[in-house]
Amino acid sequence: MELNFRSDNEAPAAGKILDSLLEANRRTAWSYGEDQWSNRLDGAFSELFGTQTTVIPVSTGTAANSIALACVTPPWGSVFCHRGAHILTDECGAPEFFGNGLRMVGVDGENGKMVAAHLRESIRRSVGHGVHSYQPTTISMTQITEAGTVYEPAEIAALSAVAKEFQLTTHMDGARFANAVAALGCSPADSSWASGVDLLSFGASKNGCFGAEALLIFGETNLRERAERLRKRSGHLLSKMRYVSAQLLAYIEDGLWLELAGHANRQAAQFVEAVKAHPEARLESTAGANEIFVRWTPAGFAALEKAGIQFFLWPGYDDLARFVFSFQTTEEETVTLCEALRRSG
Ligand SMILES: Cc1ncc(COP(=O)(O)O)c(C=O)c1O
C-alpha cells in the first residue's frame, strides 16, 4: 500500500477525467481554443457560478494567477496578499514577470488568512508619496489558504470590501477552491463573486485533472482580450486546448469536482481527530479541508517516516509537517496513517 500524504499534486487523474480525454481524442478539432469543448466553457461556468463568467483555460495555476494579476495591475501597481501566499513565495516571481515589474506586498495574518484591519493598514501605509509610490491596485487571497484554513464567505466579503474602499480589484487563488466549497457547503458563487471576488484562478489539477486550470473573470468584462493576449505572449495558449477544456467540462459536470474534493476532505477530517487525540502532536491551524499541518517532535516525525508514511516536512522546520489528502486517498490508507500516528505517540 502506498502511503503518500505529501501532496495532492502527486495524486493521479480521476477516471472520469481520463474518459473525457478519450472522448476529445476521437477526431480532429479546431485548434487554439476554437474547438467545441472550449466554446462551451463560458456557458458551463456561467451556469455553475450563476453569473456571466469568462473562462480562460490554462495549464498551470501559476499561469492562471499571473495572467489574472497582470490583467488588472499595471507595472507600477501593487498586489496585496498574505505574506505566506503562493503567489508571493512559490511562483519564482512569475506575477512580477508577467506584470512587467508589478509589486507584491505581503500582509500579516494568523492561520494563513489576511484580515480586513491589517489589509487596510497595509494599503494605507503603502501610499503617500504620490507618483513615487507604487499604486495599490489589487488584492489576492488564497482559498484554501497556505495554512490549510478556509476563508468563510463573510471573511472574503470583508476583504473585498476593503479592496472596494480603495478601488482595488479582488483576485482569488483558488488552487483548492473545490476543497473550500466542499468544506463550507456553500455555493461556488458565495465563495467568489457574490462575496466580491472579481477574478478567480479555478484550480482543477490538484483534484483529479492534469494540466487543467482556468482563469475565471466574473460579470461584464472587457478583460478577455487582455487575458488572451497575455496567455499567448506567455506561451500558455495550447494549440490542442481541447484537452484542457474537455477536462474542465467533465470536472464540473454533475458535481464531480465537489464529489472528489468532499472525499479528500473527509479523509483529512479523520486524521484531524487522530491528531487531536494524540498526547504530543498538535494541529498547527484550524484545519478545514484537505491539507493538515501538524506540529510535533522531530523524533515523532522520524518514527512516522519509519512506519512508511510519506509526508512533507515544511522547508526550514524539523517540527512542522504537512499531510495532504486527495480524491484518491483510500479509507484504508487514512486508517493506517492514524494508527501509525497513535503508535508513534
Ligand atoms: C495555493 C497554490 N496556488 C497556486 C499553485 C500553482 O499551481 P501550479 O504548480 O500548477 O503552477 C499551487 C501549487 O501547488 C498552490 O498550492
Side-chain angles (χ1 to χ4, degrees), residues 271 278 280-282 294-309 311 313 318-321 323 337 340-345:
F271 181 56
H278 195 272
E280 282 178 350
R282 64 177 174 79
V294 178
R295 272 284 168 186
W296 200 12
T297 56
F301 284 132
L304 260 195
E305 259 171 354
K306 216 162 152 219
I309 310 284
F311 52 90
L313 214 48
D318 58 6
D319 64 345
L320 179 63
F323 296 77
L337 166 66
L341 177 74
R342 199 179 57 74
R343 276 200 312 272
S344 311

Side-chain angles (χ1 to χ4, degrees), residues 9 60-62 65 86 91 142 146 173 175-176 206:
N9 279 321
T60 71
T62 302
N65 287 336
H86 198 273
E91 294 186 355
T142 315
E146 286 76 6
D173 172 358
R176 296 183 178 82
K206 293 168 177 41

Side-chain angles (χ1 to χ4, degrees), residues 118-137:
H118 282 157
L119 176 63
R120 187 180 291 108
E121 199 43 42
S122 196
I123 296 170
R124 275 211 188 111
R125 271 204 310 264
S126 75
V127 289
H129 292 132
V131 77
H132 302 274
S133 304
Y134 267 84
Q135 182 182 27
T137 313

Side-chain angles (χ1 to χ4, degrees), residues 69-70 72-78 99 101-103 134-135 137 226:
L69 297 174
V72 293
T73 317
W76 56 88
S78 48
L102 59 78
R103 166 68 55 88
Y134 267 84
Q135 182 182 27
T137 313
R226 209 174 148 72

